[in-house]
């Protein structure tokens, strides 16, 4: 086996879920199908150097924006140990990763999704090169590996819309994300302006949130609701029905937070400004007729989603009515997933 050091760079985006993955079982398998939009500008870059050794233990050096990050190094090493049975190179890998984000650290953008998608792609690529395999199957293998590191990361490998979890979409699977075909052109270049109301780290992690869905009073109801919302959203995306699209994504966002508020122990991640923004968006939509809708991740920040065609008017609305509640705003849009260079 070659012990030559090789290198490449990977750029992976974050994603925002329209149908939320909330609750899991087994080996990082989702309790319900989810559907997301891959972002374009919010990306994590990995500069990777690797070598295969006979040490029989993964060895990772991890730097984030020039600083050594021991917790992340340990997280990746533990993850590699845990996938030894499905990724035979795991214990031979000596990895050096220099990572950086295009978006401000702790801006509430899912940086674990972009980082773990970058990791999943890196591992799938190393495997394909080492075993002289075709890279045609890379996105699926990369998504499978990313999922085992952080569930929602499996939806960041491709874009612009990705389905994860067994659903009515042909070939969809609990094990990896799949690009959604036949989306109506009204959704081409869909915008996401992330209205950041707080940059403080969230008080309860997503893994704790997923765990709290076990035995949750509404867990069975949530599965039924997600399936139904998924079906309606899929039809809206296919037919170009913006009104149904908006109704479903707002319902999903509020349902996610309602599940947090009604778990034991319960918790609230929304801030007063999150609610003010929601009210302003709904009021402004009534007044202006603009097709702009919100979704929310596991945090207080509001993602305002709108078609490319109305971008100028919505941007004006943001400046006039929403900006005062925000500490920062990131204007992003639908993107196509992972890009690799020098490899
Ligand atoms: O991938 P995780 O384990 O960080 O969970 C993410 C869950 C949500 O972001 C709240 C919803 C989703 O589908 O992305």
């Amino acid at each position: 086996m070659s012990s030559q050091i090789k290198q490449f760079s990977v750029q992976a985006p974050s994603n925002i879920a329209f149908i939320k993955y909330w609750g899991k079982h087994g080996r990082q398998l989702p309790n319900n199908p989810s559907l997301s939009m891959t972002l374009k500008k919010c990306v994590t870059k990995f500069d990777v150097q690797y070598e295969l050794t006979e040490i029989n233990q993964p060895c990772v050096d991890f730097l984030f924006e020039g600083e050594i990050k021991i917790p992340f190094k340990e997280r990746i090493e533990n993850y590699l140990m845990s996938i030894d049975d499905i990724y035979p190179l795991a214990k031979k890998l000596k990895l050096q990763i220099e990572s950086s984000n295009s978006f401000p650290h702790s801006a509430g953008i899912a940086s674990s999704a972009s980082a773990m998608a970058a990791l999943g792609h890196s591992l799938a690529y190393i495997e394909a090169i080492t075993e002289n395999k075709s890279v045609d199957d890379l996105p699926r293998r990369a998504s499978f590996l990313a999922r085992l590191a952080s569930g929602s990361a499996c939806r960041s490998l491709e874009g612009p819309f990705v389905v994860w979890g067994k659903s009515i979409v042909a070939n969809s699977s609990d094990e990896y994300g799949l690009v959604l075909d036949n989306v109506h052109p009204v959704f081409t270049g869909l915008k996401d302006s992330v209205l950041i109301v707080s940059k403080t780290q969230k008080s309860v992690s997503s893994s704790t949130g997923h765990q709290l869905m076990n035995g949750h009073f509404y867990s069975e109801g949530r599965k039924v609701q997600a399936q139904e919302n998924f079906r309606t959203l899929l039809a809206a995306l296919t037919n170009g029905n913006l009104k149904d699209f908006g109704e479903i994504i707002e319902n999903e966002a509020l349902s996610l937070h309602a599940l947090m508020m009604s778990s034991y122990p319960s918790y609230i991640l929304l801030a007063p400004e999150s609610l003010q923004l929601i009210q302003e968006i709904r009021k402004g939509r009534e007044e202006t007729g603009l097709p702009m809708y919100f979704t929310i991740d596991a945090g207080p920040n509001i993602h305002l989603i709108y078609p490319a065609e109305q971008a100028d008017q919505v941007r004006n609305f943001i400046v006039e009515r929403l900006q005062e509640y925000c500490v920062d705003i990131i204007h992003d849009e639908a993107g196509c997933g992972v890009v690799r260079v020098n490899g």
Side-chain angles (χ1 to χ4, degrees):
M1 189 174 296
S2 152
S3 66
Q4 198 194 339
I5 299 177
K6 294 184 178 154
Q7 62 183 49
F8 59 91
S9 298
V10 172
Q11 205 170 280
S14 186
N15 70 76
I16 178 71
F18 293 151
I19 301 291
K20 308 291 180 183
Y21 147 58
W22 203 235
K24 59 181 173 179
H25 62 276
R27 217 166 164 178
Q28 200 89 310
L29 299 166
N31 285 355
N32 63 266
S34 57
L35 196 159
S36 58
M37 178 171 95
T38 304
L39 298 181
K40 190 185 239 173
K41 296 183 193 151
C42 292
V43 297
T44 295
K45 186 171 176 234
F46 271 13
D47 292 315
V48 181
Q49 289 197 0
Y50 72 96
E51 161 179 30
L52 297 168
T53 72
E54 298 299 335
I55 299 172
N56 207 28
Q57 192 173 329
C59 174
V60 180
D61 282 334
F62 190 90
L63 281 92
F64 179 71
E65 283 164 7
E67 276 182 40
I68 296 174
K69 295 282 175 201
I70 302 290
F72 227 81
K73 162 195 165 72
E74 289 173 353
R75 183 171 168 190
I76 298 176
E77 285 178 349
N78 290 339
Y79 158 75
L80 285 169
M81 291 293 279
S82 77
I83 58 164
D84 180 41
D85 56 333
I86 44 175
Y87 187 78
L89 296 177
K91 287 190 180 165
K92 298 189 168 82
L93 259 187
K94 189 167 176 342
L95 268 180
Q96 199 207 41
I97 301 171
E98 290 194 28
S99 167
S100 58
N101 284 348
S102 67
F103 47 98
H105 184 46
S106 66
I109 313 283
S111 61
S112 79
S114 49
M116 293 309 166
L119 181 66
H121 181 93
S122 301
L123 296 180
Y125 176 68
I126 292 171
E127 184 178 63
I129 293 295
T130 308
E131 294 172 4
N132 274 327
K133 278 198 214 151
S134 143
V135 288
D136 290 352
D137 240 7
L138 217 57
R140 187 164 292 187
R141 178 71 170 154
S143 175
F144 178 91
L145 293 167
R147 181 197 103 235
L148 294 167
S150 168
S152 59
C154 80
R155 298 187 310 239
S156 272
L157 283 301
E158 298 178 282
F161 300 100
V162 175
V163 166
W164 168 39
K166 194 86 204 100
S167 69
I168 49 169
V169 173
N171 301 320
S172 58
S173 163
D174 283 351
E175 308 215 314
Y176 49 80
L178 192 74
V179 173
L180 184 65
D181 293 325
N182 302 322
V183 174
H184 192 278
V186 79
F187 297 104
T188 305
L190 196 65
K191 306 285 180 189
D192 175 6
S193 289
V194 193
L195 309 170
I196 300 170
V197 302
S198 164
K199 291 192 181 183
T200 47
Q201 191 131 30
K202 60 187 170 196
S203 51
V204 180
S205 71
S206 291
S207 5
T208 305
H210 288 297
Q211 266 167 31
L212 289 174
M213 285 308 287
N214 295 329
H216 193 295
F217 191 77
Y218 296 135
S219 75
E220 288 310 307
R222 168 60 191 154
K223 289 181 203 166
V224 178
Q225 179 200 33
Q227 291 285 356
E228 191 152 328
N229 278 349
F230 188 97
R231 267 195 295 275
T232 313
L233 187 72
L234 195 62
L237 286 170
T238 314
N239 304 332
N241 189 329
L242 275 166
K243 193 166 174 290
D244 282 1
F245 166 83
E247 214 162 86
I248 295 297
I249 72 167
E250 293 193 351
N251 178 270
E252 278 290 304
L254 296 175
S255 298
L256 170 71
H257 283 267
L259 289 166
M260 295 172 190
M261 291 181 205
S262 53
S263 60
Y264 286 100
S266 77
Y267 62 107
I268 301 175
L269 297 183
L270 297 175
E273 294 81 3
S274 322
L275 299 181
Q276 282 168 312
L277 284 168
I278 290 172
Q279 311 276 35
E280 277 302 309
I281 292 164
R282 287 190 160 171
K283 200 148 76 122
R285 191 164 66 224
E286 287 257 301
E287 289 164 12
T288 63
L290 285 170
M292 51 184 182
Y293 303 92
F294 66 82
T295 184
I296 321 170
D297 209 347
N301 303 321
I302 304 294
H303 292 246
L304 188 65
I305 311 292
Y306 50 96
E309 210 188 319
Q310 278 79 22
D312 290 345
Q313 290 129 288
V314 176
R315 291 283 177 91
N316 287 339
F317 177 80
I318 293 174
V319 173
E320 281 165 23
R321 304 271 292 271
L322 307 180
Q323 194 165 268
E324 62 187 284
Y325 304 104
C326 307
V327 295
D328 203 354
I329 298 176
I330 298 175
H331 298 291
D332 209 334
E333 61 187 70
C336 288
V338 165
V339 178
R340 188 186 59 252
V341 280
N342 315 330

